[in-house]
mmCIF file of all heavy atoms in Angstrom:
data_model
loop_
_atom_site.group_PDB
_atom_site.id
_atom_site.type_symbol
_atom_site.label_atom_id
_atom_site.label_comp_id
_atom_site.label_asym_id
_atom_site.label_seq_id
_atom_site.Cartn_x
_atom_site.Cartn_y
_atom_site.Cartn_z
ATOM 1 N N GLN A 1 0.802 -1.222 0.000
ATOM 2 C CA GLN A 1 0.000 0.000 0.000
ATOM 3 C C GLN A 1 0.839 1.278 0.000
ATOM 4 O O GLN A 1 0.298 2.372 0.169
ATOM 5 C CB GLN A 1 -0.962 0.007 1.187
ATOM 6 C CG GLN A 1 -2.015 -1.065 1.101
ATOM 7 C CD GLN A 1 -2.807 -0.994 -0.189
ATOM 8 O OE1 GLN A 1 -3.246 0.058 -0.611
ATOM 9 N NE2 GLN A 1 -2.992 -2.130 -0.840
ATOM 10 N N MET A 2 2.147 1.170 -0.221
ATOM 11 C CA MET A 2 2.982 2.362 -0.355
ATOM 12 C C MET A 2 2.514 3.147 -1.573
ATOM 13 O O MET A 2 1.915 2.591 -2.497
ATOM 14 C CB MET A 2 4.460 1.962 -0.511
ATOM 15 C CG MET A 2 5.074 1.390 0.757
ATOM 16 S SD MET A 2 5.110 2.548 2.106
ATOM 17 C CE MET A 2 6.422 3.612 1.579
ATOM 18 N N PRO A 3 2.766 4.459 -1.634
ATOM 19 C CA PRO A 3 2.230 5.297 -2.715
ATOM 20 C C PRO A 3 2.606 4.791 -4.104
ATOM 21 O O PRO A 3 3.745 4.400 -4.341
ATOM 22 C CB PRO A 3 2.870 6.660 -2.466
ATOM 23 C CG PRO A 3 3.309 6.648 -1.067
ATOM 24 C CD PRO A 3 3.577 5.231 -0.707
ATOM 25 N N ARG A 4 1.630 4.783 -4.997
ATOM 26 C CA ARG A 4 1.862 4.464 -6.407
ATOM 27 C C ARG A 4 1.279 5.617 -7.223
ATOM 28 O O ARG A 4 0.069 5.711 -7.414
ATOM 29 C CB ARG A 4 1.216 3.156 -6.810
ATOM 30 C CG ARG A 4 1.440 2.870 -8.310
ATOM 31 C CD ARG A 4 0.857 1.562 -8.743
ATOM 32 N NE ARG A 4 1.709 0.486 -8.255
ATOM 33 C CZ ARG A 4 1.392 -0.787 -8.355
ATOM 34 N NH1 ARG A 4 0.264 -1.144 -8.893
ATOM 35 N NH2 ARG A 4 2.205 -1.712 -7.894
ATOM 36 N N LEU A 5 2.159 6.491 -7.688
ATOM 37 C CA LEU A 5 1.729 7.668 -8.433
ATOM 38 C C LEU A 5 1.687 7.386 -9.925
ATOM 39 O O LEU A 5 2.444 6.571 -10.437
ATOM 40 C CB LEU A 5 2.677 8.840 -8.178
ATOM 41 C CG LEU A 5 2.745 9.373 -6.756
ATOM 42 C CD1 LEU A 5 3.667 10.576 -6.702
ATOM 43 C CD2 LEU A 5 1.377 9.729 -6.238
ATOM 44 N N SER A 6 0.810 8.101 -10.583
ATOM 45 C CA SER A 6 0.766 8.093 -12.042
ATOM 46 C C SER A 6 0.218 9.438 -12.498
ATOM 47 O O SER A 6 -0.540 10.084 -11.779
ATOM 48 C CB SER A 6 -0.120 6.956 -12.573
ATOM 49 O OG SER A 6 -1.450 7.138 -12.145
ATOM 50 N N ILE A 7 0.651 9.842 -13.672
ATOM 51 C CA ILE A 7 0.135 11.078 -14.253
ATOM 52 C C ILE A 7 -1.096 10.697 -15.055
ATOM 53 O O ILE A 7 -1.012 9.947 -16.017
ATOM 54 C CB ILE A 7 1.190 11.760 -15.134
ATOM 55 C CG1 ILE A 7 2.415 12.119 -14.290
ATOM 56 C CG2 ILE A 7 0.611 12.999 -15.795
ATOM 57 C CD1 ILE A 7 3.570 12.670 -15.074
ATOM 58 N N GLY A 8 -2.235 11.195 -14.612
ATOM 59 C CA GLY A 8 -3.503 10.870 -15.260
ATOM 60 C C GLY A 8 -3.758 11.768 -16.454
ATOM 61 O O GLY A 8 -2.930 11.895 -17.353
ATOM 62 N N ALA A 9 -4.881 12.445 -16.422
ATOM 63 C CA ALA A 9 -5.290 13.296 -17.539
ATOM 64 C C ALA A 9 -4.419 14.546 -17.619
ATOM 65 O O ALA A 9 -4.113 15.179 -16.616
ATOM 66 C CB ALA A 9 -6.745 13.699 -17.373
ATOM 67 N N VAL A 10 -4.003 14.868 -18.848
ATOM 68 C CA VAL A 10 -3.323 16.128 -19.145
ATOM 69 C C VAL A 10 -4.185 16.818 -20.191
ATOM 70 O O VAL A 10 -4.246 16.395 -21.331
ATOM 71 C CB VAL A 10 -1.890 15.897 -19.672
ATOM 72 C CG1 VAL A 10 -1.248 17.219 -20.047
ATOM 73 C CG2 VAL A 10 -1.054 15.143 -18.656
ATOM 74 N N GLU A 11 -4.876 17.881 -19.772
ATOM 75 C CA GLU A 11 -5.802 18.576 -20.657
ATOM 76 C C GLU A 11 -5.248 19.954 -20.995
ATOM 77 O O GLU A 11 -4.718 20.637 -20.124
ATOM 78 C CB GLU A 11 -7.162 18.722 -19.976
ATOM 79 C CG GLU A 11 -7.765 17.394 -19.558
ATOM 80 C CD GLU A 11 -8.967 17.575 -18.662
ATOM 81 O OE1 GLU A 11 -9.510 18.691 -18.597
ATOM 82 O OE2 GLU A 11 -9.360 16.589 -18.030
ATOM 83 N N THR A 12 -5.366 20.338 -22.249
ATOM 84 C CA THR A 12 -4.920 21.665 -22.670
ATOM 85 C C THR A 12 -6.102 22.439 -23.241
ATOM 86 O O THR A 12 -6.994 21.863 -23.868
ATOM 87 C CB THR A 12 -3.804 21.581 -23.735
ATOM 88 O OG1 THR A 12 -4.299 20.855 -24.861
ATOM 89 C CG2 THR A 12 -2.575 20.902 -23.184
ATOM 90 N N GLU A 13 -6.096 23.736 -23.007
ATOM 91 C CA GLU A 13 -7.134 24.620 -23.536
ATOM 92 C C GLU A 13 -6.451 25.849 -24.119
ATOM 93 O O GLU A 13 -5.649 26.498 -23.447
ATOM 94 C CB GLU A 13 -8.089 25.040 -22.420
ATOM 95 C CG GLU A 13 -9.128 26.035 -22.861
ATOM 96 C CD GLU A 13 -9.983 26.536 -21.698
ATOM 97 O OE1 GLU A 13 -10.041 25.865 -20.657
ATOM 98 O OE2 GLU A 13 -10.588 27.605 -21.859
ATOM 99 N N LYS A 14 -6.764 26.144 -25.361
ATOM 100 C CA LYS A 14 -6.175 27.315 -26.021
ATOM 101 C C LYS A 14 -6.896 28.560 -25.534
ATOM 102 O O LYS A 14 -8.114 28.666 -25.627
ATOM 103 C CB LYS A 14 -6.280 27.174 -27.532
ATOM 104 C CG LYS A 14 -5.531 28.259 -28.276
ATOM 105 C CD LYS A 14 -5.486 27.959 -29.751
ATOM 106 C CE LYS A 14 -4.835 29.105 -30.473
ATOM 107 N NZ LYS A 14 -3.528 28.823 -30.959
ATOM 108 N N LEU A 15 -6.120 29.517 -25.010
ATOM 109 C CA LEU A 15 -6.692 30.760 -24.492
ATOM 110 C C LEU A 15 -6.618 31.888 -25.503
ATOM 111 O O LEU A 15 -7.457 32.763 -25.517
ATOM 112 C CB LEU A 15 -5.971 31.183 -23.203
ATOM 113 C CG LEU A 15 -6.061 30.207 -22.044
ATOM 114 C CD1 LEU A 15 -5.212 30.685 -20.890
ATOM 115 C CD2 LEU A 15 -7.500 30.023 -21.615
ATOM 116 N N GLY A 16 -5.581 31.875 -26.307
ATOM 117 C CA GLY A 16 -5.393 32.936 -27.280
ATOM 118 C C GLY A 16 -4.237 32.575 -28.186
ATOM 119 O O GLY A 16 -3.854 31.414 -28.286
ATOM 120 N N ASP A 17 -3.675 33.575 -28.826
ATOM 121 C CA ASP A 17 -2.569 33.356 -29.756
ATOM 122 C C ASP A 17 -1.322 32.919 -28.999
ATOM 123 O O ASP A 17 -0.649 33.735 -28.372
ATOM 124 C CB ASP A 17 -2.305 34.638 -30.547
ATOM 125 C CG ASP A 17 -1.344 34.384 -31.689
ATOM 126 O OD1 ASP A 17 -1.379 33.278 -32.263
ATOM 127 O OD2 ASP A 17 -0.553 35.300 -32.000
ATOM 128 N N GLY A 18 -1.015 31.629 -29.037
ATOM 129 C CA GLY A 18 0.178 31.099 -28.382
ATOM 130 C C GLY A 18 0.069 30.989 -26.880
ATOM 131 O O GLY A 18 1.057 30.767 -26.193
ATOM 132 N N LEU A 19 -1.142 31.112 -26.320
ATOM 133 C CA LEU A 19 -1.362 31.053 -24.881
ATOM 134 C C LEU A 19 -2.266 29.864 -24.565
ATOM 135 O O LEU A 19 -3.312 29.701 -25.189
ATOM 136 C CB LEU A 19 -2.013 32.360 -24.418
ATOM 137 C CG LEU A 19 -1.976 32.681 -22.933
ATOM 138 C CD1 LEU A 19 -0.545 32.800 -22.443
ATOM 139 C CD2 LEU A 19 -2.725 33.960 -22.671
ATOM 140 N N TYR A 20 -1.834 29.030 -23.606
ATOM 141 C CA TYR A 20 -2.564 27.802 -23.283
ATOM 142 C C TYR A 20 -2.701 27.640 -21.786
ATOM 143 O O TYR A 20 -1.869 28.103 -21.019
ATOM 144 C CB TYR A 20 -1.828 26.573 -23.837
ATOM 145 C CG TYR A 20 -1.737 26.541 -25.330
ATOM 146 C CD1 TYR A 20 -0.675 27.160 -25.993
ATOM 147 C CD2 TYR A 20 -2.688 25.881 -26.089
ATOM 148 C CE1 TYR A 20 -0.577 27.127 -27.370
ATOM 149 C CE2 TYR A 20 -2.595 25.839 -27.470
ATOM 150 C CZ TYR A 20 -1.545 26.462 -28.102
ATOM 151 O OH TYR A 20 -1.456 26.429 -29.464
ATOM 152 N N LYS A 21 -3.755 26.922 -21.409
ATOM 153 C CA LYS A 21 -3.960 26.498 -20.028
ATOM 154 C C LYS A 21 -3.810 24.975 -20.017
ATOM 155 O O LYS A 21 -4.428 24.283 -20.825
ATOM 156 C CB LYS A 21 -5.346 26.902 -19.549
ATOM 157 C CG LYS A 21 -5.563 26.726 -18.070
ATOM 158 C CD LYS A 21 -6.974 27.107 -17.673
ATOM 159 C CE LYS A 21 -7.173 28.597 -17.753
ATOM 160 N NZ LYS A 21 -8.475 29.005 -17.187
ATOM 161 N N VAL A 22 -2.982 24.451 -19.119
ATOM 162 C CA VAL A 22 -2.725 23.017 -19.035
ATOM 163 C C VAL A 22 -3.118 22.537 -17.646
ATOM 164 O O VAL A 22 -2.646 23.079 -16.643
ATOM 165 C CB VAL A 22 -1.232 22.689 -19.300
ATOM 166 C CG1 VAL A 22 -0.982 21.200 -19.191
ATOM 167 C CG2 VAL A 22 -0.798 23.218 -20.653
ATOM 168 N N TRP A 23 -3.996 21.519 -17.575
ATOM 169 C CA TRP A 23 -4.369 20.897 -16.316
ATOM 170 C C TRP A 23 -3.731 19.523 -16.254
ATOM 171 O O TRP A 23 -3.817 18.742 -17.199
ATOM 172 C CB TRP A 23 -5.880 20.721 -16.198
ATOM 173 C CG TRP A 23 -6.632 21.987 -15.977
ATOM 174 C CD1 TRP A 23 -6.693 22.723 -14.839
ATOM 175 C CD2 TRP A 23 -7.442 22.653 -16.934
ATOM 176 N NE1 TRP A 23 -7.498 23.807 -15.029
ATOM 177 C CE2 TRP A 23 -7.962 23.794 -16.307
ATOM 178 C CE3 TRP A 23 -7.772 22.407 -18.267
ATOM 179 C CZ2 TRP A 23 -8.805 24.676 -16.954
ATOM 180 C CZ3 TRP A 23 -8.596 23.288 -18.912
ATOM 181 C CH2 TRP A 23 -9.105 24.409 -18.258
ATOM 182 N N VAL A 24 -3.117 19.229 -15.113
ATOM 183 C CA VAL A 24 -2.453 17.942 -14.906
ATOM 184 C C VAL A 24 -3.063 17.286 -13.671
ATOM 185 O O VAL A 24 -3.210 17.929 -12.630
ATOM 186 C CB VAL A 24 -0.933 18.130 -14.696
ATOM 187 C CG1 VAL A 24 -0.252 16.788 -14.511
ATOM 188 C CG2 VAL A 24 -0.326 18.902 -15.844
ATOM 189 N N THR A 25 -3.412 16.012 -13.797
ATOM 190 C CA THR A 25 -3.939 15.242 -12.675
ATOM 191 C C THR A 25 -2.907 14.193 -12.272
ATOM 192 O O THR A 25 -2.464 13.412 -13.111
ATOM 193 C CB THR A 25 -5.260 14.554 -13.056
ATOM 194 O OG1 THR A 25 -6.190 15.547 -13.492
ATOM 195 C CG2 THR A 25 -5.840 13.791 -11.885
ATOM 196 N N ILE A 26 -2.537 14.190 -10.995
ATOM 197 C CA ILE A 26 -1.600 13.202 -10.462
ATOM 198 C C ILE A 26 -2.393 12.307 -9.529
ATOM 199 O O ILE A 26 -3.015 12.772 -8.567
ATOM 200 C CB ILE A 26 -0.427 13.865 -9.700
ATOM 201 C CG1 ILE A 26 0.320 14.832 -10.619
ATOM 202 C CG2 ILE A 26 0.529 12.818 -9.174
ATOM 203 C CD1 ILE A 26 -0.072 16.239 -10.448
ATOM 204 N N GLU A 27 -2.384 11.015 -9.808
ATOM 205 C CA GLU A 27 -3.205 10.069 -9.056
ATOM 206 C C GLU A 27 -2.341 9.184 -8.171
ATOM 207 O O GLU A 27 -1.269 8.747 -8.576
ATOM 208 C CB GLU A 27 -3.993 9.192 -10.032
ATOM 209 C CG GLU A 27 -4.906 9.995 -10.929
ATOM 210 C CD GLU A 27 -5.469 9.186 -12.079
ATOM 211 O OE1 GLU A 27 -4.933 8.099 -12.377
ATOM 212 O OE2 GLU A 27 -6.438 9.650 -12.701
ATOM 213 N N ASN A 28 -2.834 8.930 -6.959
ATOM 214 C CA ASN A 28 -2.204 7.978 -6.040
ATOM 215 C C ASN A 28 -3.192 6.835 -5.848
ATOM 216 O O ASN A 28 -4.236 7.005 -5.229
ATOM 217 C CB ASN A 28 -1.884 8.651 -4.703
ATOM 218 C CG ASN A 28 -1.175 7.721 -3.734
ATOM 219 O OD1 ASN A 28 -0.904 6.575 -4.045
ATOM 220 N ND2 ASN A 28 -0.881 8.232 -2.555
ATOM 221 N N SER A 29 -2.869 5.678 -6.384
ATOM 222 C CA SER A 29 -3.801 4.548 -6.365
ATOM 223 C C SER A 29 -3.619 3.629 -5.156
ATOM 224 O O SER A 29 -4.206 2.552 -5.118
ATOM 225 C CB SER A 29 -3.657 3.741 -7.648
ATOM 226 O OG SER A 29 -2.358 3.194 -7.738
ATOM 227 N N ARG A 30 -2.829 4.036 -4.194
ATOM 228 C CA ARG A 30 -2.635 3.237 -2.980
ATOM 229 C C ARG A 30 -3.153 3.985 -1.749
ATOM 230 O O ARG A 30 -3.459 5.176 -1.820
ATOM 231 C CB ARG A 30 -1.156 2.903 -2.793
ATOM 232 C CG ARG A 30 -0.575 2.090 -3.914
ATOM 233 C CD ARG A 30 -1.192 0.725 -3.960
ATOM 234 N NE ARG A 30 -0.414 -0.104 -4.885
ATOM 235 C CZ ARG A 30 -0.880 -1.163 -5.467
ATOM 236 N NH1 ARG A 30 -2.101 -1.543 -5.250
ATOM 237 N NH2 ARG A 30 -0.135 -1.862 -6.281
ATOM 238 N N LEU A 31 -3.203 3.307 -0.604
ATOM 239 C CA LEU A 31 -3.770 3.880 0.618
ATOM 240 C C LEU A 31 -2.855 4.896 1.303
ATOM 241 O O LEU A 31 -3.329 5.863 1.890
ATOM 242 C CB LEU A 31 -4.095 2.767 1.614
ATOM 243 C CG LEU A 31 -5.304 1.915 1.287
ATOM 244 C CD1 LEU A 31 -5.430 0.764 2.280
ATOM 245 C CD2 LEU A 31 -6.565 2.743 1.297
#
């Protein structure tokens, strides 16, 4: 049950010319 991390969803949203918003989800699947 030691931590097991993984990078889940990485979502990008274009805000404007060359400007982006990036959301990153880090998941721990252990207790």
Side-chain angles (χ1 to χ4, degrees):
Q1 294 305 314
M2 290 297 286
R4 178 178 285 173
L5 296 183
S6 63
I7 299 174
V10 177
E11 303 169 15
T12 59
E13 176 185 340
K14 188 171 175 108
L15 299 175
D17 190 34
L19 197 61
Y20 296 88
K21 190 182 289 188
V22 179
W23 288 286
V24 181
T25 303
I26 302 98
E27 300 168 344
N28 182 1
S29 63
R30 299 294 191 202
L31 287 174

